[in-house]
Amino acid sequence: MSTGMIIVLIVIVAAAAVGAVALTLRSRGGLGGRDLKRRFGPEYDRVLSRHDGDTKAAEQELAGRVERHGALRARELDPQRREELTARWTAVQEHFVDAPQEAVAEADRLLAEVAAEVGFPEAGQGDEQFDALSVHHPGHLDGYRQVRRAAGGERSENGTEDLREALVEARSLFEELVGAQAGPRRRPHLNRQNVNRTIVKGG
């Protein structure tokens, strides 16, 4: 076989390989910048900021998350288990009235438990649980992050009100994970009257 023919074959094989990679990425939901921004929403901006505006680095990180966790399919909880977990979340919110910091720590543990139970990585696996959740629930992840920071002892300047808002936002993620969006009775909430009572008590 002549040298020219060998070169032609190499070019054809290389082009086929590039095409196969492109098709694979497209079949996985598209990993281009526009697709990533649409998929991750506010999480895209958070990662971009963490990389000091380096778009390439941010998109490489997000594309890596999709590669690792994009195929994950959450397990559906049976109705009884869903009710048990929802009752525990209600108890967390009631506990918030008297002990905001402890309630937020309980919420953090409960979210980690529920996420693992429906098929996401365990909370102890570095940032993998957050990374996986960001692929499938990017719009509701910030509340969980706030809860995690508060549970770790970080206190915000505005105290109880910030904890309340974090818990309310984290509830949206909880409801998506347990599939409890359907009924209003499964949406217990912290009203401002309870928060004021907590502040009066000095919580």
Side-chain angles (χ1 to χ4, degrees), residues 90-112:
T90 301
V92 165
Q93 295 189 155
E94 290 171 350
H95 191 194
F96 182 91
V97 175
D98 297 309
Q101 195 73 31
E102 290 178 17
V104 166
E106 291 169 10
D108 175 48
R109 290 191 292 270
L110 182 54
L111 280 167

Side-chain angles (χ1 to χ4, degrees), residues 3 21 26 31 36 42 46 56 59 65 68 83-84 86 99 105 109 137 140 145 163 168 172 202:
T3 303
V21 169
R26 190 174 303 161
L31 298 179
L36 287 170
R46 192 192 73 83
K56 184 176 180 181
E59 291 182 354
R65 294 186 193 182
R68 295 194 307 277
E83 290 293 336
E84 291 172 358
T86 302
R109 290 191 292 270
H137 302 280
H140 298 302
R145 279 206 177 90
L163 291 177
V168 168
S172 298

